[in-house]
Each structure stands twice: as C-alpha cells, then as structure tokens.
Amino acid sequence: MAGRLIYLIGPSGSGKDSLLDAARPRLVERGCRMVRRVITRSAEAVGEAAQGVSPEQFALMEAEGAFALSWQANGLSYGIPREIDDWLAAGDDVLVNGSRAHLAQARERYPTSLVLLLTVDQAVLRQRLIARGRESLADIEERLARNARFTAELIAGNGAGLFVLDNSGPLAHTVERLLCCLDHGRTVCA
Ligand SMILES: Nc1ncnc2c1ncn2[C@@H]1O[C@H](COP(=O)(O)OP(=O)(O)O)[C@@H](O)[C@H]1O
Ligand SMILES: O=P(O)(O)OC[C@H]1O[C@H](OP(=O)(O)OP(=O)(O)O)[C@H](O)[C@@H]1O
C-alpha cells in the first residue's frame, strides 16, 4: 500500500524546520521519512535541513526531472527530490516542508495527502523572524504581508481538508499535537 504524503505548510518563521527537527526521532520511530529540500540559497544559509544550489544548478536538476514538486517563492526556488515517490510507493509516509501557494499542485499529484498548516500569531511571528536574523527587515515585512494574505484564504478555502497546528506556544506542545494527528487523525487531536 502506498504511504501518505504529509504536506507541512505555514509562513516563513512559523517553525516548520524547528518542528521537523524536534519531531525527527519520533517520526523516524514511526517509519515516517523526511527529505532535504533543494533551495537556491547559499550552503551556509540553508543549514542541514536543505541542499543549497545555484539557480543554474536548480534549473538543470529540474530539467532532468530531479524533483517531485518544485516552486518559487520569496525570490528563491525550492525542490522536493523525486526519491520521495519511491518511498511512498514502498509504503512509507513522507513528511515534506511545502508551500502554501503550491498546495493545489501538491494535492493534485498526491490526492491522499494530509495537509498540516502551522500557524503562529503575527506579532510572535515578527519577533521570531527578527530573532532568527536570516532576512533583512524589508524581507521580513514582505514575508509577513505574504503570510497575512495566505492564512485567512487557506482556512476559508480548505477548512475541512486542513489540520491546523498552532505553534505560538512551546515547541514541545506542537510536537505532541503533530504526532497525535499522525497517529490518531484530526478528530481526536483537534
Ligand atoms: N514554538 C516555538 N517557540 C519559540 N521559538 C520558536 C518556536 N518554533 C520556532 N521557533 C523559532 O522561530 C524561528 C523560526 O523557526 P523556523 O523553524 O526557522 O521556521 P520556518 O522553517 O517555518 O521558517 C527560529 O528562530 C526558531 O528557533
Ligand atoms: O508559499 P509559502 O507558503 O509562502 O511558502 C513559500 C516558501 O517559503 C517557505 O520557505 P522559507 O524560504 O521561508 O524557508 P523556511 O520556511 O524553511 O525557513 C516555505 O517553506 C516555502 O518553501
């Protein structure tokens, strides 16, 4: 039986990478796989969670069919390696750090996917982005504006198909809710 694609989305700074890192050992325990994204960011800026490539390398990889999903946002290109399709075919669940703007395409390709929307209060989000110190203040404001547009639209348009995980509180709490959702489904953990 094919595995489930678990498509984690949420604004930049909502804590997607932190959540994946914190939950990693317990996800692995459950046989859930995670994949390193390919991003057109410098190697120093992407850290362990992704592979940094140049725009030229990215275009080449895309043309060669290296990605199961790919999108552009925030002036960057992002790719999810196509090896996830082998894992899904082998019956493994796969959790990916996705894009809200690319949700429709992801659902079209993976109709049984479970979509998790990570949310955080906008004021908390601004503070976290500033504290993370990765983008300029102007870039941070652009990300916040992009976020404000998206969250309301997503919840209005996809309410029934989304599991909302609030990460305004402690990360450990969000990890427990994520695992509860994966183990028992939306209704029990809501
Ligand atoms: N629950 C939380 N409480 C406090 N800080 C958090 C929490 N979740 C994430 N952070 C911090 O917020 C910042 C953004 O998190 P990050 O995982 O990089 O977000 P994303 O991957 O969604 O862009 C990081 O500095 C991270 O340490
Ligand atoms: O369509 P959106 O939902 O706005 O998402 C666009 C991109 O922004 C986020 O990545 P970002 O560059 O912020 O990296 P990070 O969130 O992993 O830090 C997200 O993971 C997407 O790749």
Side-chain angles (χ1 to χ4, degrees):
M1 199 182 96
R4 261 185 317 180
L5 181 80
I6 301 152
Y7 192 71
L8 176 66
I9 49 176
S12 183
S14 57
K16 300 180 296 300
D17 280 330
S18 305
L19 178 61
L20 291 181
D21 269 357
R24 186 175 306 273
R26 294 173 68 192
L27 290 168
V28 170
E29 233 170 60
R30 286 162 170 76
C32 178
R33 291 183 176 257
M34 279 146 288
V35 72
R36 276 176 90 212
R37 299 193 294 179
V38 177
I39 307 181
T40 54
R41 233 182 218 146
S42 70
E44 304 78 61
V46 291
E48 295 283 307
Q51 178 190 356
V53 296
S54 69
E56 294 74 25
Q57 282 173 302
F58 190 96
L60 198 64
M61 291 173 86
E62 189 158 40
E64 286 170 346
F67 303 130
L69 295 169
S70 62
W71 60 86
Q72 292 177 339
N74 303 319
L76 300 167
S77 298
Y78 299 80
I80 303 287
R82 72 164 175 224
E83 63 193 310
I84 69 163
D85 286 339
D86 299 333
W87 298 342
L88 290 166
D92 294 339
D93 285 348
V94 180
L95 200 161
V96 303
N97 182 345
S99 153
R100 293 164 296 174
H102 203 72
L103 175 59
Q105 290 91 325
R107 274 194 161 141
E108 197 178 317
R109 186 169 168 136
Y110 302 99
T112 60
S113 57
L114 170 64
V115 182
L116 303 175
L117 174 64
L118 200 60
T119 59
V120 62
D121 296 338
Q122 188 88 336
V124 176
L125 184 57
R126 176 178 277 105
Q127 285 314 313
R128 285 190 191 163
L129 286 171
I130 292 170
R132 181 170 70 178
R134 196 178 68 190
E135 294 89 15
S136 68
L137 285 179
D139 281 354
I140 287 176
E141 289 308 321
E142 269 181 37
R143 279 166 192 254
L144 288 168
R146 182 177 169 86
N147 174 40
R149 282 198 305 276
F150 265 122
T151 306
E153 276 173 30
L154 267 177
I155 293 176
N158 293 276
L162 278 185
F163 185 79
V164 179
L165 272 176
D166 185 58
N167 187 37
S168 305
L171 189 58
H173 181 214
T174 316
V175 170
E176 294 310 322
R177 282 202 73 228
L178 166 70
L179 297 173
C180 180
C181 175
L182 298 188
D183 292 348
H184 306 294
R186 317 157 25 97
T187 40
V188 177
C189 310

